[in-house]
Amino acid sequence: MTENTHTTAPDMANNPPLIDVTANPFTLFDAWMKDAEQTEPSDPNAMVLATSTPDGHPSARIVLLKGADQRGFVFYTNQHSRKGDELAENPNVALLFHWKSLRRQIRIEGAVTPVTSEEADIYFASRSRMSRLGAIASDQSRPLEDRSIFEARLKEAEVRYGEGDIPRPANWSGYRVTPVAFEFWQERPYRLHDRARWTPDENGWSVTRLYP
């Protein structure tokens, strides 16, 4: 019996629309994020943050996007954490959003700059009380001999601040990624994916559609 190797042509009528290469990348990002907020079961603002170690090794983790506008993309962390140490050495980063329900990805490349103290204060105050206490109690990324040590520090912070204001630690703040490149990716059947890359030029942004 001979194997049938005939492959039918893709049904293009059922494909998602092509990426709009006439769009401003920030506007397109906003539209895709709004779609994700309607479809993702949790944390549509989750993104991979890729940094590098001082000796050039890649380093990646998932963080949450907490602000996005024409100035860039904001996340917050303990600046004495591993990612904070790496950003102090090399401010160049990559971000990756992946929305499985939509079969979409966005890659963003750029460099970080610190947010203002006012921005950090406003966001810190918006966090839950326990999250703020945790930021004070945790030496993020540092070795922890026993979990009970951290829990004792958390309890001590609860007692110290009671029902009063919880000040933002000086080493807890945010970073804004200013993009130098966007790449939008939309899955299509048979791995015939749609991709487009935006980079700055003298007129604002230049866009190039890419092979799958």
Side-chain angles (χ1 to χ4, degrees), residues 185-196:
W185 179 97
Q186 173 71 67
E187 181 178 319
R188 287 189 148 215
Y190 306 99
R191 301 190 183 277
L192 306 178
H193 309 314
D194 189 25
R195 297 169 62 188

Side-chain angles (χ1 to χ4, degrees), residues 79-105:
Q79 294 178 315
H80 294 170
S81 65
R82 175 175 172 178
K83 72 176 84 62
D85 291 343
E86 291 170 355
L87 291 171
E89 291 285 338
N90 180 359
N92 297 298
V93 303
L95 305 177
L96 171 62
F97 295 85
H98 175 230
W99 296 302
K100 188 175 180 65
S101 63
L102 295 170
R103 303 182 184 277
R104 287 174 174 172
Q105 296 184 73

Side-chain angles (χ1 to χ4, degrees), residues 49 61 63-64 75-85 87 123 127 135 140-141 168-175:
L49 167 67
R61 78 289 291 157
V63 299
L64 297 179
F75 63 94
Y76 291 87
T77 189
N78 185 324
Q79 294 178 315
H80 294 170
S81 65
R82 175 175 172 178
K83 72 176 84 62
D85 291 343
L87 291 171
Y123 175 67
R127 304 179 88 206
Q140 189 176 350
S141 303
R168 176 177 62 87
N171 63 330
W172 192 98
S173 191
Y175 297 91

Side-chain angles (χ1 to χ4, degrees), residues 42-60:
S42 62
D43 295 330
N45 59 331
M47 61 185 184
V48 176
L49 167 67
T51 57
S52 63
T53 63
D55 51 0
H57 291 284
S59 176

